[in-house]
Amino acid sequence: MGIRVGDKAPDFELRDNHGATVRLSDFRGEKNVVVLFYPFAFTGVCTGELSELRDNLATFVNDEVRLLAVSNDSIHTLRVFAEQEDFGFPLLSDFWPHGEVSRAYGVFDADKGCAVRGTFVIDKEGVVRWSVVNALPDARDLNEYVAALDTL
């Protein structure tokens, strides 16, 4: 069962593309968080979505907001991907236990072994205020996250 608007966002602790530990709870009381799940590094739609975020980074990484992008790739894969694409935000690895966080958010596709395209806007109190989940081939609309952040 997926996470719904109004639910408390499941806390998690994942390593980023530099090996640093990132906890959702570290932002509680401080920042709104956009948690974005994507299937795999180096794929066309994922690269396009993350590049669009990179090109609009000030909207998603500032005094009020933090962006956390999560995939089931290893941290080593994510490091190369972030360097190649010049992503200035953390790419978190939900590699092992495989898909544990993706499953907690209800976006893991067990048949494909990866997360589908789920985005969750979480307020400073840790409550999900907006979400969208798209199938693997369907890119998300960046303007929808911006509109959701504007309501916080």
Side-chain angles (χ1 to χ4, degrees):
M1 184 165 159
I3 301 300
R4 291 181 275 203
V5 170
D7 288 349
K8 190 82 162 178
D11 196 16
F12 58 80
E13 179 178 303
L14 295 171
R15 289 177 43 205
D16 72 9
N17 48 303
H18 299 291
T21 299
V22 176
R23 291 174 198 83
L24 179 62
S25 58
D26 287 347
F27 302 102
R28 193 150 303 133
E30 301 291 323
K31 292 187 184 276
N32 301 304
V33 181
V34 176
V35 178
L36 177 128
F37 292 90
Y38 63 99
F40 291 115
F42 298 106
T43 57
V45 176
C46 295
T47 301
E49 285 186 318
L50 295 175
S51 294
E52 190 174 13
L53 290 163
R54 176 199 61 216
D55 296 345
N56 294 278
L57 197 56
T59 302
F60 300 100
V61 178
N62 56 53
D63 290 341
E64 293 294 315
V65 182
R66 183 64 56 191
L67 171 64
L68 303 176
V70 181
S71 80
N72 303 118
D73 296 296
S74 73
I75 63 168
H76 311 291
T77 300
L78 295 176
R79 182 176 303 125
V80 173
F81 185 43
E83 288 172 3
Q84 178 179 305
E85 299 299 329
D86 195 30
F87 295 139
F89 50 90
L91 303 181
L92 305 183
S93 174
D94 189 18
F95 183 72
W96 198 258
H98 191 69
E100 182 177 65
V101 175
S102 305
R103 290 173 205 273
Y105 278 77
V107 297
F108 189 76
D109 183 330
D111 292 335
K112 300 223 181 332
C114 66
V116 296
R117 297 180 195 288
T119 304
F120 301 85
V121 173
I122 302 164
D123 70 13
K124 293 177 183 179
E125 303 311 312
V127 175
V128 176
R129 294 298 175 196
W130 180 86
S131 70
V132 64
V133 177
N134 287 3
L136 289 176
D138 301 327
R140 292 159 282 199
D141 182 349
L142 179 90
N143 294 320
E144 291 179 2
Y145 328 158
V146 173
L149 285 169
D150 285 346
T151 67
L152 299 180

